[in-house]
Amino acid sequence: MTRSPVLEIDDLTVRIDPPGGRPLYPVRNASLAVAAGETLGLVGESGCGKTLTCLAAMGLLGRRVSLAGGAVRVEGRQVAPAPEGREGRAAHDLRHRRMAMIFQNPAACLNPVRSIGWQVAEAYQLRTGAPRSVARRRAVELLDMVGIPEPARRARDYPHQLSGGQQQRTMIAMAIAGDPALLVADEATTALDVTVQA
């Protein structure tokens, strides 16, 4: 029995418009599908477009970077290019609640003025709609799940008080909060030692 894909990327092309230069197309005609419970790895040399493909799927392309062609579907519904009006809002909500990404550089992604417990609780609350008190308890459980020692105490710490590996684990806790259908991991274990990676 074939499972229907959680994520489908069909003929994706990403365009970069450098200031005063010709457009660049670092990702051309990429297609892939990922079913529930499946793991798919993108392999290639540095700069070949792995991260851009992930960011395009998540709808996180930056300024001067755009989707030049193709489509992204989550659980059978198109999320990119974004549909108009009510369908566009529904697509954004679907991607927000059903997909999560673990970024390569946690230090740049964590908010320096919020505790890590607050940030994990916020991620859980946004995805589930749970009350703040429930989200705070769940944040401690998630920090424990990813191997943060003394999670109840460390939940009050700020990102600068953590090691690089602990920051990475906090990002993983934020990503798995709310049990997303799809988890996109961009070199998610780079800062972790081998035992924690396993």
Side-chain angles (χ1 to χ4, degrees):
M1 182 173 109
T2 306
R3 293 176 288 184
S4 59
V6 173
L7 172 69
E8 294 172 272
I9 296 178
D10 185 28
D11 208 26
L12 182 80
T13 298
V14 175
R15 172 181 169 144
I16 299 177
D17 291 298
R22 290 186 187 176
L24 305 171
Y25 297 90
V27 178
R28 293 178 188 217
N29 311 111
S31 296
L32 60 89
V34 182
E38 192 173 61
T39 300
L40 174 74
L42 297 181
V43 180
E45 62 188 40
S46 182
C48 74
K50 300 180 300 291
T51 297
L52 276 175
T53 299
C54 294
L55 292 173
M58 294 296 297
L60 297 174
L61 294 175
R63 202 168 60 101
R64 300 184 191 275
V65 185
S66 60
L67 193 64
V72 178
R73 288 180 293 282
V74 175
E75 297 180 331
R77 293 176 57 191
Q78 182 171 313
V79 295
E84 297 292 320
R86 184 179 295 149
E87 286 184 24
R89 287 190 297 278
H92 172 76
D93 188 56
L94 176 70
R95 183 169 33 211
H96 176 73
R97 290 183 184 273
R98 302 297 290 154
M99 297 173 71
M101 185 164 178
I102 304 168
F103 295 93
Q104 193 174 131
N105 182 1
C109 298
L110 293 170
N111 186 334
V113 299
R114 293 288 189 179
S115 70
I116 63 166
W118 188 96
Q119 293 180 69
V120 175
E122 180 188 45
Y124 181 77
Q125 197 172 18
L126 287 171
R127 287 207 188 98
T128 65
R132 190 74 187 160
S133 59
V134 172
R136 281 195 300 265
R137 283 194 301 274
R138 184 64 179 145
V140 172
E141 292 170 2
L142 287 162
L143 290 171
D144 185 46
M145 203 186 296
V146 298
I148 298 286
E150 300 179 72
R153 182 180 68 79
R154 297 307 302 269
R156 296 189 295 271
D157 286 351
Y158 291 83
H160 73 274
Q161 295 173 289
L162 305 178
S163 69
Q166 290 170 334
Q167 289 176 355
Q168 187 69 64
R169 284 180 267 173
T170 300
M171 284 293 305
I172 294 169
M174 289 171 67
I176 63 175
D179 197 25
L182 179 76
L183 184 60
V184 177
D186 188 9
E187 296 187 34
T189 60
T190 311
L192 305 180
D193 64 54
V194 289
T195 54
V196 174
Q197 284 181 22

